[in-house]
Amino acid sequence: MKKLAIFVTFLFAIGHIYAQKIGVVDTNYVLSKLPQYKEAESRLNSQISQWQSDLQKLQADYERKREAFENEKVLLVGEQLKMREKEVVDMEASIRNTIGARFGSNGEVNQLRSNLTKPFQDQIWNAIKTVSTKNNLGIVLDKSNNISVIFLDKKYDYTDAVLSLLGKNISKDEKASSGSVSSGTLNGKEQNGRISPKGKLKSTQRKSLGDSAEMK
């Protein structure tokens, strides 16, 4: 009897799941179509390129210093040998630490990318929630989140609906922002707040040498 009750409950749960209206959204595609995200991502990629360039210079300096040491160490003795060897070891450690601190799994690149996407993820989540309510969706799958979709009927794909809603919200925000600035100008009143220029990504302090320790 107990087994029968469990089986009935299982069938009821399966039936309930299949009764839910399912939708699919490609959040990566939505992100790629948001102008603000593309602009912020461009600044992030620029910062990553600069860090990669700095790292290449460090590695080139290290290779030159290491090669010079290998060629000259037979002529070095005592403290001079130890000092030159320490310079090479310290430079190698510095490169390792820089790679770990900036490009490691918990490095600055991943942290900056997470900070970059979070505000947009919140916007997308709110848009998905609105679209789900409007279309009576019980389940929404993210096509970008390692989900293999072999076939998808277009009527179950709500990506464009989410993108359209985000576009409308963004347009409203931009109009409201420009409207307040125009109003202040027409009235000839001095604005209390200043429109700040687009911020650049902050450069973090260089990590000290040591064994601490994923562009980006």
Side-chain angles (χ1 to χ4, degrees):
M1 188 68 180
K2 186 176 180 181
K3 290 183 178 179
L4 178 61
I6 294 174
F7 181 69
V8 170
T9 302
F10 175 74
L11 287 179
F12 178 79
I14 293 296
H16 180 69
I17 291 174
Y18 276 100
Q20 297 290 320
K21 191 176 178 182
I22 298 176
V24 175
V25 174
D26 188 341
T27 57
N28 281 346
Y29 178 80
V30 173
L31 274 173
S32 71
K33 295 298 181 181
L34 298 179
Q36 300 94 328
Y37 175 79
K38 291 166 70 174
E39 184 180 349
E41 186 179 42
S42 177
R43 294 201 303 271
L44 173 60
N45 289 337
S46 177
Q47 176 67 80
I48 291 174
S49 295
Q50 181 60 54
W51 283 344
Q52 288 176 327
S53 178
D54 293 343
L55 182 60
Q56 287 173 351
K57 290 178 182 177
L58 277 175
Q59 289 175 325
D61 289 343
Y62 165 73
E63 290 297 333
R64 284 195 295 268
K65 190 173 286 290
R66 185 183 64 82
E67 186 177 355
F69 172 70
E70 291 295 331
N71 292 334
E72 299 169 10
K73 69 178 180 179
V74 292
L75 305 175
L76 303 173
V77 293
E79 289 300 319
Q80 191 178 25
L81 175 63
K82 291 180 181 179
M83 184 179 71
R84 290 284 298 277
E85 185 176 21
K86 187 176 183 302
E87 286 179 358
V88 173
V89 171
D90 287 349
M91 186 171 286
E92 183 181 10
S94 176
I95 292 173
R96 260 198 330 267
N97 292 335
T98 299
I99 293 173
R102 288 185 173 165
F103 302 99
S105 58
N106 295 318
E108 294 173 69
V109 170
N110 277 346
Q111 291 174 13
L112 287 173
R113 194 174 295 281
S114 177
N115 292 336
L116 163 66
T117 58
K118 191 178 186 311
F120 299 98
Q121 287 172 340
D122 292 342
Q123 290 181 40
I124 292 173
W125 162 249
N126 290 330
I128 289 175
K129 189 176 180 181
T130 300
V131 170
S132 300
T133 302
K134 182 179 178 180
N135 294 276
N136 298 316
L137 302 180
I139 300 173
V140 177
L141 304 177
D142 183 1
K143 190 177 177 181
S144 309
N145 195 21
N146 298 322
I147 296 177
S148 298
V149 179
I150 299 175
F151 172 77
L152 176 64
D153 192 318
K154 187 63 179 176
K155 67 182 179 182
Y156 297 113
D157 191 340
Y158 291 87
T159 302
D160 288 340
V162 170
L163 189 57
S164 176
L165 180 60
L166 281 170
K168 289 176 182 177
N169 290 339
I170 290 169
S171 296
K172 288 178 181 178
D173 291 341
E174 288 177 347
K175 285 180 181 178
S177 176
S178 62
S180 63
V181 173
S182 300
S183 172
T185 305
L186 290 172
N187 292 332
K189 295 179 181 178
E190 182 179 356
Q191 301 294 321
N192 292 328
R194 293 182 179 177
I195 301 174
S196 60
K198 293 168 185 173
K200 296 182 179 178
L201 294 169
K202 294 181 180 178
S203 299
T204 56
Q205 297 178 345
R206 294 182 176 274
K207 305 292 181 181
S208 59
L209 297 181
D211 287 333
S212 60
E214 130 205 72
M215 274 157 51
K216 57 342 259 295

